[in-house]
């Protein structure tokens, strides 16, 4: 009987490993979605990015197809795209630092604060470390025209993001902004109605960074980075930037499509709206994994932003 139980247990374990993924002791069967990351070509770090800060903590690997960004007591590190973009699809496969990572922030985002310091736009994916060993969280945010109203939404992961690479992607065009994790949409910010006033519209650069966010990300420094466990290394590969690239030195220059694919994330009909399959997947992610939305934070906002009403 004991032998039968062990065999049954092993069979069930094998079955579960092929049909579900686990994080935070919870098990999920992930919905099927189109793989947008398969549609676009990868770019080389050498030819597409410059070192923004912490050059000594940036290590290029595999002929520039992969990069390790490190945070230690001296500094964090980061890369910025050489081109600026007016809309496009941006993605990277990222493996996050393991262990105790409270206060560590890994960011994959678009910004034009360098050109518009008082009226900048920003589209953020921020990966927030925790004082628990695998309890990383995903935060998304949108800024437009320097408006400081925080539009954060936060999600738990349905996997351990420190064990292997996972895709983090941003689709940005004139119709909507979509945040995706492993091609599953987790948030859509449409360019219509009350959302339009808060919609980013100026060309932006893509940034990939790791930094000490203790004061900002841990309730005023309640759980600061513990440099006993440094260096904290985020590994990135399979970078994609496909869209409307412009030359920042020539503001009137026309866009050139940087993608080798016939699929156009800027104006292609497949990118105007989410498919039914994508809508279903996004509903799954938001119901199961979202634990904070600015639209429900009445203690923070006496008057909620217009798009929340």
């Amino acid at each position: 009987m004991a032998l039968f139980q062990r065999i049954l247990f092993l069979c069930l374990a094998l079955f579960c490993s092929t049909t579900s993924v686990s994080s935070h002791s919870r098990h999920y069967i992930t919905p099927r979605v189109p793989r947008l990351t398969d549609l676009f070509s990868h770019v080389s770090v050498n030819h597409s990015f410059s070192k923004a800060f912490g050059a000594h903590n940036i290590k290029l690997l595999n002929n520039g197809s992969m990069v390790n960004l490190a945070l230690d007591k001296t500094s964090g590190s980061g890369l910025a795209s050489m081109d600026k973009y007016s809309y496009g699809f941006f993605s990277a496969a990222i493996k996050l630092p393991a262990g105790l990572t409270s206060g560590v922030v890994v960011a994959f985002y678009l910004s034009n604060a360098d050109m518009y310091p008082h009226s900048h736009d920003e589209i953020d994916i921020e990966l927030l470390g925790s004082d628990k060993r695998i309890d990383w969280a995903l935060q998304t945010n949108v800024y437009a025209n320097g408006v400081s109203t925080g539009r954060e939404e936060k999600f738990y992961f349905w996997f351990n993001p420190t064990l292997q690479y996972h895709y983090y992607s941003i689709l940005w065009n004139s119709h909507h902004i979509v945040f995706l994790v492993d091609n599953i949409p987790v948030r859509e910010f449409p360019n219509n109605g009350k959302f339009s006033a808060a919609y980013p519209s100026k060309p932006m650069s893509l940034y990939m960074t790791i930094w000490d966010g203790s004061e900002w990300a841990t309730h005023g420094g309640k759980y600061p980075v513990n440099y006993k466990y440094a260096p904290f290394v985020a590994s990135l590969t399979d970078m994609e930037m496909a869209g409307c690239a412009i030359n920042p030195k020539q503001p009137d220059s026309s866009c050139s499509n940087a993608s080798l694919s016939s699929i156009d994330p800027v104006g292609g009909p497949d990118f105007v709206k989410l498919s039914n399959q994508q809508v279903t997947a996004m509903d799954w992610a938001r119901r199961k994994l979202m634990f904070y939305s600015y639209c429900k934070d009445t203690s923070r906002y006496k008057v909620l932003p217009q798009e929340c009403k």
Side-chain angles (χ1 to χ4, degrees), residues 36 171-178 188-192 199 263-275 278-279:
L36 298 185
L171 170 64
W172 171 46
N173 58 32
S174 62
H175 305 288
H176 54 182
I177 297 165
V178 183
E188 182 184 28
F189 196 90
N191 186 14
N192 58 41
Y199 202 80
I263 303 296
D264 183 2
V266 177
D270 290 342
F271 295 88
V272 171
K273 64 179 182 179
L274 297 178
S275 67
Q278 289 173 316
V279 170

Side-chain angles (χ1 to χ4, degrees), residues 57-69:
N57 276 339
I58 299 173
K59 184 177 181 180
L60 298 181
L61 303 167
N62 293 353
N63 296 318
S65 65
M66 179 182 295
V67 62
N68 285 351
L69 301 178

